[in-house]
């Protein structure tokens, strides 16, 4: 269903705010504040936040956790008809997982010039050599998302915790 631009933008901001809530949970748990939600038919069906340090798992990115939860909810690994909202441009692992999960759309906050794989360094989610591509909307609540990350890393640089 095609909806007017303003209505879609309002929904994008609403769902990105929910992803920011997830990023704040990661922050509270001492992890890099990245959050994700997956939406199907304008309803949030899955949430995730970074848990790499909490789980000692390099794959425990917000996107992966949200996709696992969404697949369980739907009962299928194919997440067709779903949109993922992420507070930072996904890395190559997460971008590849988005393609493999057959998500329809990716919405993210700021670009990640150091590790972004959805337009910054690579564009895995729209690579024509792959069997699936996602529509991308970027920059939604980007300043709010970026501030969370900047504050987190500023505090880390000024502390004795060098685990990041």
């Amino acid at each position: 269903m095609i909806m007017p631009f303003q209505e879609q933008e309002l929904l994008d901001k609403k769902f990105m705010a929910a992803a920011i809530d997830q990023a704040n949970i990661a922050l509270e748990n001492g992890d890099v504040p990245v959050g994700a939600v997956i939406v199907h038919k304008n309803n949030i069906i899955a949430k995730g936040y970074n848990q790499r340090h909490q789980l000692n798992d390099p794959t425990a990115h917000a996107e992966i956790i949200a996709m696992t939860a969404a697949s369980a909810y739907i009962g299928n690994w194919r997440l067709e008809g779903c949109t993922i909202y992420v507070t930072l441009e996904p890395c190559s692992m997460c971008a590849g997982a988005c393609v493999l999960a057959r998500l329809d759309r990716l919405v993210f906050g700021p670009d990640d010039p150091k590790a972004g794989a959805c337009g910054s360094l690579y564009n895995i989610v729209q690579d024509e050599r792959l069997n699936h591509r996602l529509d991308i909307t970027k920059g939604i609540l980007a300043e709010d998302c970026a501030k969370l990350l900047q504050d987190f890393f500023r505090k880390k640089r000024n502390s004795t915790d060098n685990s990041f």
Side-chain angles (χ1 to χ4, degrees):
M1 172 171 81
I2 298 175
M3 62 177 75
F5 175 76
Q6 285 182 322
E7 186 177 340
Q8 184 61 60
E9 186 178 21
L10 288 173
L11 284 171
D12 286 348
K13 287 179 179 179
K14 170 187 169 182
F15 294 128
M16 186 59 74
I20 290 170
D21 289 343
Q22 292 299 300
N24 278 310
I25 296 171
L27 182 64
E28 291 167 11
N29 288 306
D31 216 319
V32 177
V34 175
V37 298
I38 297 182
V39 172
H40 183 256
K41 296 181 181 177
N42 290 330
N43 293 305
I44 295 173
I45 62 166
K47 301 174 182 180
Y49 57 88
N50 271 5
Q51 296 180 51
R52 292 180 309 160
H53 286 272
Q54 186 177 353
L55 300 176
N56 285 323
D57 180 352
T59 68
H61 289 206
E63 301 94 322
I64 302 297
I65 290 167
M67 282 186 260
T68 300
S71 294
Y73 178 87
I74 289 178
N76 194 325
W77 62 268
R78 291 177 183 263
L79 299 178
E80 294 164 335
C82 294
T83 298
I84 188 166
Y85 291 81
V86 188
T87 59
L88 180 66
E89 178 183 359
C91 69
S92 57
M93 174 183 70
C94 295
C98 287
V99 170
L100 294 173
R102 310 293 198 273
L103 286 158
D104 285 358
R105 186 166 172 250
L106 163 67
V107 179
F108 64 88
D111 292 338
D112 183 352
K114 293 183 180 179
C118 302
S120 290
L121 295 178
Y122 309 100
N123 195 350
I124 292 170
V125 297
Q126 293 185 325
D127 191 319
E128 292 184 4
R129 297 169 294 179
L130 300 175
N131 65 338
H132 180 75
R133 284 165 292 290
L134 284 76
D135 290 330
I136 297 175
T137 302
K138 62 182 186 171
I140 301 296
L141 300 182
E143 290 177 14
D144 296 335
C145 298
K147 183 170 179 3
L148 267 176
L149 290 160
Q150 290 163 350
D151 290 349
F152 174 81
F153 285 112
R154 185 177 306 110
K155 287 178 185 172
K156 285 295 177 186
R157 281 191 299 275
N158 294 330
S159 77
T160 57
D161 180 3
N162 295 323
S163 61
F164 289 86

